[in-house]
Structures are given as structure tokens and as C-alpha cells.
């Protein structure tokens, strides 16, 4: 059994991964907050992947590969007239992780540098062995940077309106920023835009904030929300941890048991959280193959 001290390659030894490495260029770096930066990698036209997958990333001077989830979509990777296509990665500041530490060097030192990447991972959309046309409800459950693969999946669903109409819910647990500025939470601005952009794949987003009081959560939400969001009611921020009722409400939209055959759940976050939430969904009667999990350490 692997643990937090094992390497990315050891933890993912049983996962599917491409055989070939591809050279990519670090084209853009965006600082999200004091602990996360977004990297945009310019890629060759032949690069393919599924929403939810990760990259083995080999950086100069470091023997071991880093593992970082792709937060962009296959459509973003397609070359266009003014854009060669790209992969986006969210890199957490981790000084004890040599590949991450290299990718957190000063921007002027690494921008336009080349690294080598390989696609891998089994936590993907569409879920293996399930006809996507049969899926009416998708629940995405994230803790911290476990949001990363779910951003790729959610954005992909929004970019493909030919997908059948579905109910999509994101339940996202995150630590409240010390500044009480919710825009510092990874991808929250993007998620709020998704909640307002009025497509058939518009997600319901519930943000659960830890390390803050209910009054502080209300204050942060009031300062962050737009007036029109009070009407559409698709985005909300709450104090506390994700509970069983929140998990159930993301999938149980019917008066009978049909939802169990029409729903899929994706869970990504710390190992203990992921195991607990998977067990809750299985106890509800969902099939193992309809509850997909990915752990980060």
C-alpha cells in the first residue's frame, strides 16, 4: 500500500498511461493566490486526453516525474488560427515536491522552458462501461485541489451542448481564505460564471467553507455574489463541512429509486474524505461502477 511519502509514479503504477512522452512549452503562468498558480502548456497537435486525466511531468534536473491533473479540456487542446492549443495545470506550492518546486520557480526563469509530459489516469469522463446517454444526473464532489479534474469534466460538458440535458451539481469543500476574499479560492470565479451562463448544462455549485463561522460565510458570500445570483440560486457558500444530506441531495432528484440507475458520482480529494464519501454513496444503494474516485495525497 502506498502512502503520502510515495512518489506519483509509485501511486499510479496500476493506472493506464500513454507510452510516449511529448515535449511541451510553458507558455503562460497565472498566480491565483499565495499557494496555487496556473500553467498553460503549448502542446503538439497530436496531443489527446480525456477529461479528468493527469500528466506525468518531467522537468529539467529532476529524476522523478511530478503528477498534475489537467484542468483544461480536449477542446482547449485543439489548435486554432490564433492559438496552438494548450493544456492547463493548477500547481500547488509544494517545496518538498521537487517537480512542483521547479514549476514554482520565478516566472521569468521558467516561462518558455520545455518540459516533457505523458497522459495517464482512469478517473475520466465518460465513465467506463456506462452509456453517457443514460446519465441524467452528475454529482461532482471535491475537497481542496481535488477540484482540478472535476473542472476539466465540468467544462467539457459545458463545451459540448449536444450532450443530453442533465442535472449537474458540484459540492466543493475548501478552506476559507484568511483575507475573506472568495475570489482567492481556486476556480471560484470560473465556477460562478458557469452558474450564470444559462446553458442546459449549467451546474448547481455549493461551496462549503471550513475554518469560518456561519456569519463570516454569509458576509463573504454577500460581498462576492452578484445581484442576479439571488434570482437564479445556482451558487451558494455555506459554513462547515460537506455532510451526508448534501451528498444525497446532489443525486436524489426523484420520488422513486430510478435515480440510482441514472446518476454517476465523481469524488476527488484527500484519501480519508474520498473513502468516507464513497462509502456513503454505496450505502445509499449506488452501484460501485457509478461512483468514481480519485485521491490526492
Amino acid at each position: 500500500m502506498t502512502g503520502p511519502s510515495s512518489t506519483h509514479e509509485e501511486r499510479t503504477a496500476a493506472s493506464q498511461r500513454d507510452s510516449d512522452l511529448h515535449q511541451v512549452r510553458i507558455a503562460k503562468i497565472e498566480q491565483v493566490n499565495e499557494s496555487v498558480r496556473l500553467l498553460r502548456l503549448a502542446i503538439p497537435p497530436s496531443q489527446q486526453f480525456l477529461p479528468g486525466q493527469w500528466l506525468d511531468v518531467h522537468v529539467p534536473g529532476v529524476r522523478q516525474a511530478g503528477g498534475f491533473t489537467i484542468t483544461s479540456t480536449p477542446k482547449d487542446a485543439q489548435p486554432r488560427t490564433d492559438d496552438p492549443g494548450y493544456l492547463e495545470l493548477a500547481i500547488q506550492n509544494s517545496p518538498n515536491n521537487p517537480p512542483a518546486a521547479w514549476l514554482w520557480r520565478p516566472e521569468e526563469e521558467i516561462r518558455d522552458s520545455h518540459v516533457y509530459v505523458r497522459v495517464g489516469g482512469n478517473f475520466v469522463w465518460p465513465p467506463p462501461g456506462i452509456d453517457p446517454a443514460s446519465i441524467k444526473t452528475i454529482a461532482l464532489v471535491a475537497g481542496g485541489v481535488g477540484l482540478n479534474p472535476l473542472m476539466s469534466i465540468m467544462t467539457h460538458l459545458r463545451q459540448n451542448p449536444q450532450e443530453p440535458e442533465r442535472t449537474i451539481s458540484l459540492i466543493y469543500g475548501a478552506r476559507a481564505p484568511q483575507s475573506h476574499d472568495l475570489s482567492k479560492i481556486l476556480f471560484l470565479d470560473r465556477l460562478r460564471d458557469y452558474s450564470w451562463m444559462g446553458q442546459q448544462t449549467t451546474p448547481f455549485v455549493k461551496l462549503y467553507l471550513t475554518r469560518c463561522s456561519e456569519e463570516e460565510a454569509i458576509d463573504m458570500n454577500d460581498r462576492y455574489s452578484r445581484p442576479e445570483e439571488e434570482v437564479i440560486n445556482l451558487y451558494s457558500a455555506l459554513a462547515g463541512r460537506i455532510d451526508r444530506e448534501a451528498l444525497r441531495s446532489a443525486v436524489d432528484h426523484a420520488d422513486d429509486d430510478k435515480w440510482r440507475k441514472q446518476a454517476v458520482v465523481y469524488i476527488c480529494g484527500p484519501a480519508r474524505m474520498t473513502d468516507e464519501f464513497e462509502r456513503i454513496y454505496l450505502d445509499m444503494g449506488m452501484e460501485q461502477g457509478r461512483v468514481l474516485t480519485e485521491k490526492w495525497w
Side-chain angles (χ1 to χ4, degrees):
M1 180 177 179
T2 60
S5 61
S6 59
T7 68
H8 158 71
E9 290 169 300
E10 289 170 339
R11 292 192 298 271
T12 60
S15 298
Q16 67 177 44
R17 50 177 21 100
D18 290 351
S19 57
D20 297 328
L21 287 168
H22 298 274
Q23 185 185 69
V24 300
R25 178 175 58 86
I26 301 174
K28 182 180 179 181
I29 301 172
E30 176 187 347
Q31 201 71 33
V32 178
N33 54 41
E34 66 277 2
S35 60
V36 177
R37 60 170 36 173
L38 295 179
L39 267 60
R40 183 171 290 193
L41 307 178
I43 59 175
S46 59
Q47 185 68 65
Q48 296 183 348
F49 67 98
L50 291 172
Q53 289 191 295
W54 38 254
L55 294 179
D56 294 334
V57 180
H58 295 264
V59 302
V62 178
R63 168 176 281 186
Q64 71 187 61
F68 305 102
T69 304
I70 303 167
T71 57
S72 54
T73 67
K75 186 174 182 179
D76 297 328
Q78 297 175 2
R80 294 175 289 278
T81 303
D82 58 346
D83 191 338
Y86 66 89
L87 300 176
E88 180 186 71
L89 304 178
I91 311 296
Q92 192 166 29
N93 188 9
S94 305
N96 295 325
N97 179 331
W102 191 93
L103 294 170
W104 260 80
R105 288 186 177 185
E107 180 176 346
E108 62 274 12
E109 290 186 17
I110 64 171
R111 190 177 58 248
D112 291 324
S113 297
H114 289 88
V115 298
Y116 287 86
V117 302
R118 177 179 15 238
V119 172
N122 306 323
F123 186 74
V124 299
W125 176 269
I130 299 176
D131 178 7
S134 70
I135 299 171
K136 306 300 182 186
T137 300
I138 303 172
L140 310 172
V141 185
V145 295
L147 179 64
N148 292 352
L150 305 184
M151 283 303 302
S152 177
I153 292 170
M154 181 183 295
T155 307
H156 170 78
L157 292 169
R158 289 187 55 77
Q159 289 177 342
N160 291 272
Q162 73 271 20
E163 299 270 13
E165 185 172 356
R166 302 185 177 99
T167 299
I168 303 175
S169 297
L170 171 69
I171 303 174
Y172 178 22
R175 184 180 300 176
Q178 291 184 343
S179 65
H180 284 192
D181 180 1
L182 291 184
S183 67
K184 298 300 183 182
I185 293 180
L186 180 63
F187 294 126
L188 194 57
D189 283 343
R190 199 178 296 184
L191 289 169
R192 186 178 64 170
D193 289 341
Y194 288 176
S195 291
W196 176 241
M197 289 168 61
Q199 295 182 4
Q200 64 182 20
T201 51
T202 297
F204 295 86
V205 177
K206 284 189 176 181
L207 172 66
Y208 285 79
L209 296 169
T210 60
R211 301 194 180 184
C212 75
S213 67
E214 185 175 346
E215 291 76 15
E216 288 172 326
I218 292 172
D219 178 64
M220 284 186 276
N221 195 48
D222 287 346
R223 287 190 284 123
Y224 184 71
S225 295
R226 303 165 179 165
E228 63 268 19
E229 288 171 336
E230 297 179 6
V231 178
I232 59 176
N233 196 31
L234 295 179
Y235 159 80
S236 62
L238 307 166
R241 298 185 180 277
I242 300 168
D243 58 20
R244 184 184 182 93
E245 180 54 35
L247 297 174
R248 184 178 185 91
S249 66
V251 294
D252 188 358
H253 304 287
D255 295 329
D256 54 33
D257 292 337
K258 288 183 180 179
W259 63 267
R260 292 187 180 89
K261 301 293 185 182
Q262 299 175 341
V264 293
V265 177
Y266 288 80
I267 308 170
C268 186
R272 183 178 298 178
M273 183 208 86
T274 302
D275 289 341
E276 177 187 353
F277 291 174
E278 178 186 24
R279 187 164 55 251
I280 288 173
Y281 278 115
L282 295 178
D283 288 346
M284 291 180 190
M286 291 195 65
E287 298 173 1
Q288 184 80 55
R290 290 183 172 270
V291 182
L292 294 85
T293 63
E294 182 96 310
K295 301 172 186 177
W296 58 267
W297 304 91

